[in-house]
Amino acid sequence: MSVAPEPVQVQEPPPFRRDHRVHAWIAVKAASDAGDALWTIALAWTAVQIASPAIAGFVIAAGTVPRAAVLLFGGVIADRSDARRVMMLFTILRVGVLGAVSLWVLAAPPTLAVLLFAAIAFGVCDAFYEPSAGTVARQLVRTSDLPSYGALAQTASRLGTMAGAALGGLLVAVTGLAGSAAANAMTFTVVFAFIALWLRPRFLLPRAHRESALRGIARGFGHLRTHRTTRTLVLALSGLNLAVGPAVGIGLVLRAQDEGWGAPAVGLFEALLGAGAALGAVSVARWRPRLEARAGFGALVVQGAGIAALGWGPVWTVAASAFVIGVTAGYASVLLSATFSATVDAAFLGRMGSITRLGDDCLMPLAMAGFGMLASATAVWVPFAVFGAAMMGLMILPLSTPEFRRLSLARR
């Protein structure tokens, strides 16, 4: 297995448990995730009020297409530019978008055009911001501390999202879209200030050569072809959500409808998924496996079995399966994200991250449609079994490779 060159250390990080700069960054990012969650609820609620549920779904999804269209360009920029500057630029652009929306709806009633503008603008900003933000962990902490960083960051992010979602409905009811936009703009202002004043890299990543964006994208796919370990990681991580997303997003609703469990059961399943994911993520910090990649992919084989199990049994077995899926998702996500950051050549980290994100944007609609078509044409349990088996098969592929079974971040 080819080993990516180590970044150049410019400052000695303290032990992770006493790394207050990193802890503060994780807290700031969690507050921003809370703001995003309440903004998403406000956007959907406002769209339903002025149009229809179908239009609301279209508004929420409107940012996906432009994000997918420019995501690879965001990866090129992440690999050859200063991540802090890119993040600051697109954070302040988000504040500008939110401010414009807030001022507009204070002067006139919200329109569908305004909502679409906000969703599309955020999608484009995400496409440039997220690849650069994905390199931050590698710039802040030692390779051996990446799982601990991921465990704390993901747990904080999930808690922030839950809190924002809980607050979002109340805030939009009291203050309307303008108040929700202003609240999210405040969280992004805090993010901007933190990045500008306190977020300083301890490790300098190698930078990609200056060349045209299209050539940079082509060089990224060429890197994928010639580096088997990176290719296997990218393919596996690109397909993670394609099995579980439809099973949870559509399948649980279908099961509750067919069995007469009602909407409260769907809410219970979603809550168990979220609680399990938070527990799985935080468990890495307490009980970290020695071979991170093997443990992460092994957990996702169990998740595939859990997806298949959602299609059978009474409500309590579905609830138990949802909790297992949540635990394995949180646990594996932390370990495999750390493995990805530590293993991929740092000069290609942004582009490889963009390609993995592209899987969700481009293939998730097809996966959702395929799950629904299978459920309509056959029995409800069939798509659960098919998608669960596909997840297990995809995860067995890296587990069959000796280099993944032996991979340990503690040795890097």
Side-chain angles (χ1 to χ4, degrees):
M1 179 177 62
S2 61
V3 179
E6 288 293 314
V8 177
Q9 180 176 309
V10 294
Q11 181 183 352
E12 178 73 18
F16 185 78
R17 65 182 180 277
R18 293 193 286 107
D19 196 341
H20 303 306
R21 184 192 304 177
V22 168
H23 298 165
W25 165 244
I26 289 172
V28 167
K29 182 63 170 63
S32 177
D33 291 335
D36 282 347
L38 68 85
W39 166 248
T40 300
I41 288 177
L43 201 64
W45 176 262
T46 305
V48 169
Q49 302 308 304
I50 65 176
S52 66
I55 295 298
F58 174 72
V59 169
I60 298 301
T64 302
V65 173
R67 183 171 68 238
V70 299
L71 192 54
L72 294 177
F73 293 95
V76 171
I77 291 175
D79 284 334
R80 71 185 188 191
S81 303
D82 183 342
R84 288 180 60 254
R85 293 180 181 177
V86 175
M87 293 164 66
M88 289 166 60
L89 172 61
F90 288 96
T91 296
I92 206 67
L93 286 176
R94 289 174 179 179
V95 173
V97 170
L98 291 165
V101 170
S102 185
L103 291 174
W104 178 281
V105 298
L106 285 174
T111 65
L112 189 60
V114 170
L115 301 185
L116 286 172
F117 160 75
I120 292 171
F122 260 66
V124 173
C125 287
D126 284 347
F128 287 103
Y129 179 93
E130 292 300 334
S132 291
T135 69
V136 166
R138 197 68 188 89
Q139 298 181 55
L140 289 179
V141 301
R142 300 178 182 88
T143 301
S144 58
D145 285 330
L146 284 171
S148 298
Y149 176 96
L152 185 59
Q154 289 202 29
T155 302
S157 177
R158 292 180 190 278
L159 292 175
T161 300
M162 291 168 60
L167 181 61
L170 176 63
L171 191 64
V172 71
V174 174
T175 66
L177 185 65
S180 299
N184 199 19
M186 288 177 60
T187 66
F188 280 124
T189 302
V190 172
V191 170
F192 177 86
F194 189 92
I195 296 172
L197 298 176
W198 292 291
L199 193 67
R200 294 292 184 272
R202 280 95 170 245
F203 299 88
L204 297 181
L205 305 184
R207 299 289 77 194
H209 298 295
R210 292 274 177 180
E211 56 189 351
S212 71
L214 291 177
R215 189 178 294 276
I217 292 172
R219 196 178 298 278
F221 281 104
H223 180 80
L224 202 61
R225 285 194 302 271
T226 57
H227 290 72
R228 186 178 67 173
T229 301
T230 298
R231 182 171 65 249
T232 303
L233 272 174
V234 167
L235 289 175
L237 295 178
S238 297
L240 286 186
N241 294 325
L242 298 181
V244 70
V248 170
I250 299 175
L252 289 178
V253 175
L254 292 175
R255 284 233 61 198
Q257 182 179 11
D258 283 1
E259 301 290 342
W261 296 332
V266 178
L268 171 65
F269 300 150
E270 294 283 356
L272 288 170
L273 277 162
L279 180 62
V282 79
S283 70
V284 175
R286 184 66 181 86
W287 300 286
R288 176 178 164 181
R290 187 173 62 87
L291 301 174
E292 293 88 355
R294 186 172 72 176
F297 286 120
L300 292 176
V301 173
V302 176
Q303 183 179 117
I307 292 171
L310 291 176
W312 286 278
V315 66
W316 69 268
T317 64
V318 177
S321 299
F323 182 73
V324 169
I325 290 171
V327 170
T328 54
Y331 181 78
S333 179
V334 169
L335 294 175
L336 296 180
S337 295
T339 301
F340 180 85
S341 294
T343 304
V344 173
D345 186 332
F348 289 87
L349 192 56
R351 278 167 285 185
M352 297 304 102
S354 294
I355 293 172
T356 61
R357 291 181 179 90
L358 204 57
D360 274 355
D361 282 352
C362 294
L363 299 179
M364 185 60 77
L366 296 176
M368 289 284 190
F371 191 100
M373 290 172 61
L374 268 177
S376 298
T378 60
V380 172
W381 64 267
V382 172
F384 287 104
V386 170
F387 278 60
M391 167 67 91
M392 295 175 74
L394 181 62
M395 295 306 115
I396 287 173
L397 174 63
L399 284 174
S400 65
T401 307
E403 59 194 11
F404 277 103
R405 292 200 302 269
R406 296 191 298 264
L407 188 59
S408 174
L409 302 189
R411 301 173 187 166
R412 295 182 62 84

